[in-house]
Amino acid sequence: MTLGDPQLGAEMALSGDRPGAVLVQALGYANWSPRELVREINGRLAGLGERRLDLTVAHAWSRGSVPRSETVRRLAAAVLTERTGRTYTQTMLWGTPEPDARRDERTVTDDLVGRRPLAAVLATATAWNATAPASQATLRPSGDLFTAVWDADRQQPHSISRESGTDHVLPPMMTLLESHLADLRRLDDAAGGGAISQRYVRIALDGVLSLLQNSRYTPDIGTRLLRTAGGLAQLAGWMAFDADLSASGQRYQLVAIRLARASADHDTVANVLGMLAYQHAAAGNPTAAIRFAEAAVEKAAKSLPTVRARALGRLATAHAAAGDIDAFRSATDRCLAFLQHRRDDDPPALYYFTADQVAAESGQGLVDLAAANPGAKGRRLLEEAHSLLSPITAHGPTTGYTRSAFLHGVHLARAHLLAHDTEATLATFGKLTAHLPEVQSVRCRNLLLGIRRHAGTRIKSASGKDALNRVDRALSGI
């Protein structure tokens, strides 16, 4: 968008060209204070591994001051656009020129809607994966995500091989690449989607995409390369979501569906659909969450029992987000029934999905349901959530699932807070801060920060404030 753009002209006319006035109007449309805008930007900066801004800095922006960092300017425009549904660019907000007029207008589904030959999908995946992280962080959501997923799930299976190329991908190399993907999944279990973890997954994905496009391999190796690329794209998408970069994550997962479908890997397609359901539930969009989860269940209908269980677990989470207790319990029961029939040939990506994991996810769902059902019913749900969340919070860090233990510990703290149990809330905060240095997950840290702020409105005792200050120091790295 340029200075001559009609929308910009209308905004400026309304504001009388006063410096900072367009930003002030945008904050009004967003129903945000300047501090809330900075919190949103800080979430993206943390996902990029960059320093957070002081929460007071946006007050100067609203008086006409211009952020020196182009990344900050672009992030401000991106989060305001997402929040308001109106298009904002740094030119509109501060009059600064756009280095590339179109780069802030890209959406999740660009070049991934409709029929796409595999060569075009590989080219799109390669170009997206090579995009600078700061540019990925300003990607815009898309209203046609479900349509793009529908199209991706109809990508034709493709027998792929190459008889030319300098390098020859032999079975030992392929085994190494698959082992590397498994190791990166374990890294996610421990640390989550920090900037370093994201970078290494992107590097691995770039390598496999390059082999697909430039090396020699047989049809069997070609299928394995496609499936590994799909697994890495799925993991990159999950880590981006875990870094609170949800639009970037959705684009990676859309690529993952395309690659998995091309290699006839229907289990990965179902798993990615379930991940999209989980992410929409976490974002407070239960309608979309149920839609994606039901698609996952349908996709997994002819798959192995563990794949069907994973899809039903996602459906349970979606129903919890929608406040439907009966549907939540039904999906959970069906999930556990299928999970009793694990097999040695279960997909490698679902190694983590055990009854303990279902219990943890169910505990999280029960907290959501309790929040929507105050009173005696809510108290019973919180008691049940406590019994499910406590074991993984206590023992997860010693079993290699530090990130999951931390995430579900945050939900346990939320359960205690909803139950007005100050002592238990503070005790859980203490356990979380002890493990905070081990967890790079930006989303988990931001969830803890949100619960801590909520606790600050309720806990007023001197000892309670001291405990909350310890959480603050741990989050700030002091």
Side-chain angles (χ1 to χ4, degrees):
M1 187 167 293
T2 65
L3 285 171
D5 193 286
Q7 181 180 341
L8 174 62
E11 298 279 1
M12 294 299 289
L14 287 171
S15 66
D17 291 346
R18 182 177 64 78
V22 175
L23 175 62
V24 171
Q25 285 186 339
L27 289 172
Y29 291 136
N31 195 28
W32 276 346
S33 69
R35 293 173 70 91
E36 288 171 322
L37 170 63
V38 177
R39 285 196 183 101
E40 292 295 319
I41 295 171
N42 279 344
R44 304 285 180 98
L45 290 173
L48 297 171
E50 297 190 16
R51 290 179 62 87
R52 294 174 181 260
L53 303 173
D54 185 279
L55 290 178
T56 63
V57 69
H59 291 288
W61 300 346
S62 65
R63 296 192 295 269
S65 176
V66 180
R68 286 178 290 181
S69 166
E70 183 196 344
T71 297
V72 171
R73 296 196 299 269
R74 292 178 62 200
L75 287 175
V79 299
L80 286 168
T81 296
E82 291 178 24
R83 174 75 173 186
T84 64
R86 295 166 172 259
T87 299
Y88 290 100
T89 67
Q90 56 177 307
T91 300
M92 291 180 65
L93 297 173
W94 290 289
T96 56
E98 301 287 344
D100 182 338
R102 286 194 54 80
R103 71 178 183 177
D104 284 343
E105 298 175 11
R106 293 180 304 180
T107 73
V108 167
T109 60
D110 284 359
D111 301 319
L112 289 169
V113 178
R115 291 182 177 272
R116 307 289 296 174
L118 181 57
V121 172
L122 292 174
T124 297
T126 301
W128 168 246
N129 195 51
T131 301
S135 295
Q136 289 190 359
T138 59
L139 187 72
R140 295 185 178 182
S142 175
D144 62 352
L145 177 61
F146 195 86
T147 299
V149 167
W150 178 272
D151 291 342
D153 190 31
R154 277 138 189 84
Q155 178 86 33
Q156 289 301 309
H158 195 96
S159 178
I160 180 172
S161 62
R162 281 178 55 90
E163 297 180 358
S164 62
T166 304
D167 301 315
H168 190 186
V169 183
L170 297 171
M173 171 60 75
M174 192 64 247
T175 299
L176 175 66
L177 294 172
E178 290 165 342
S179 176
H180 192 200
L181 170 57
D183 289 341
L184 289 170
R185 285 176 173 142
R186 294 288 185 184
L187 175 64
D188 175 58
D189 292 336
I196 294 176
S197 301
Q198 291 179 77
R199 181 163 65 245
Y200 273 88
V201 171
R202 288 195 299 266
I203 290 171
L205 176 57
D206 181 70
V208 176
L209 290 171
S210 178
L211 291 175
L212 276 163
Q213 293 168 298
N214 302 308
S215 299
R216 287 184 293 145
Y217 45 83
T218 64
D220 175 65
I221 294 295
T223 297
R224 291 169 69 183
L225 283 170
L226 274 175
R227 292 188 173 193
T228 301
L232 286 165
Q234 176 192 40
L235 184 57
W238 177 258
M239 284 188 169
F241 162 72
D242 198 44
D244 268 350
L245 304 173
S246 61
S248 173
Q250 289 171 6
R251 185 162 177 80
Y252 271 113
Q253 288 171 329
L254 187 51
V255 167
I257 293 175
R258 288 274 184 179
L259 296 172
R261 189 69 172 82
S263 63
D265 185 359
H266 305 295
D267 294 341
T268 291
V269 174
N271 199 8
V272 176
L273 288 169
M275 285 184 169
L276 289 169
Y278 180 88
Q279 292 165 29
H280 281 84
N285 190 347
T287 301
I290 291 172
R291 192 179 187 191
F292 279 109
E294 288 177 340
V297 171
E298 180 180 352
K299 189 69 183 178
K302 296 181 181 179
S303 296
L304 296 173
T306 304
V307 179
R308 299 183 72 177
R310 176 63 286 181
L312 285 162
R314 298 302 191 196
L315 182 60
T317 297
H319 283 309
D324 191 333
I325 297 175
D326 292 339
F328 162 78
R329 293 203 184 278
S330 174
T332 301
D333 290 344
R334 292 165 63 200
C335 167
L336 289 169
F338 278 115
L339 198 56
Q340 293 177 1
H341 302 283
R342 294 195 71 104
R343 293 171 39 157
D344 292 339
D345 58 345
D346 280 338
L350 296 182
Y351 65 91
Y352 74 95
F353 195 58
T354 64
D356 288 342
Q357 177 65 21
V358 175
E361 293 179 10
S362 297
Q364 176 181 336
L366 288 164
V367 177
D368 289 339
L369 288 165
N373 290 273
K377 180 183 289 187
R379 288 194 294 274
R380 289 193 297 271
L381 292 169
L382 290 173
E383 290 172 1
E384 187 179 354
H386 177 272
S387 68
L388 295 174
L389 292 170
S390 294
I392 193 170
T393 302
H395 304 299
T398 64
T399 61
Y401 294 95
T402 309
R403 178 204 167 275
S404 182
F406 190 93
L407 170 65
H408 293 100
V410 172
H411 289 294
L412 180 60
R414 181 181 169 217
H416 290 315
L417 197 60
L418 287 170
H420 304 283
D421 190 335
T422 298
E423 183 176 346
T425 301
L426 295 177
T428 304
F429 279 157
K431 293 176 182 177
L432 291 171
T433 55
H435 293 289
L436 189 57
E438 305 165 38
V439 178
Q440 295 179 333
S441 165
V442 176
R443 178 172 175 264
C444 288
R445 287 168 171 257
N446 287 341
L447 286 172
L448 175 59
L449 179 61
I451 297 298
R452 180 262 171 266
R453 283 202 299 265
H454 189 44
T457 65
R458 296 189 176 188
I459 299 173
K460 303 297 184 181
S461 67
S463 60
K465 288 182 178 179
D466 287 342
L468 295 179
N469 287 336
R470 286 193 291 272
V471 177
D472 293 338
R473 289 193 294 271
L475 284 167
S476 65
I478 296 175

